[in-house]
Amino acid sequence: MRYEIRVDGQLSEALTSAFPELDHVLMSGHTVLFGHIVDEAHLYGLLARCQSLGLRVLEMRQLPE
């Protein structure tokens, strides 16, 4: 499954490196992390990582394959 996670703010290189399995794009006012998610446990782990880093998730959605 491919997912997109949109977070508030433009993440620094240090923060984006906390998500080595995902690609990222900096947009105006937010950052989009995207990539292949293995299973639900992986997805929940990514969301927990966002929370532990103090990131505010604006949107999360599954992308077409």
Side-chain angles (χ1 to χ4, degrees):
M1 299 177 288
R2 291 183 44 80
Y3 272 85
E4 174 181 284
I5 301 171
R6 190 174 303 259
V7 296
D8 193 25
Q10 292 189 350
L11 302 187
S12 67
E13 196 62 38
L15 284 174
T16 57
S17 69
F19 302 92
E21 68 270 60
L22 299 177
D23 293 317
H24 67 280
V25 175
L26 300 176
M27 308 291 269
S28 177
H30 58 273
T31 302
V32 179
L33 303 166
F34 58 94
H36 183 74
I37 307 298
V38 178
D39 56 18
E40 281 188 18
H42 185 200
L43 179 61
Y44 290 130
L46 289 170
L47 293 174
R49 203 177 317 163
C50 287
Q51 183 179 23
S52 71
L53 293 169
L55 303 177
R56 189 168 80 111
V57 175
L58 302 173
E59 179 183 12
M60 179 187 71
R61 64 186 179 121
Q62 187 174 355
L63 300 172
E65 290 293 327

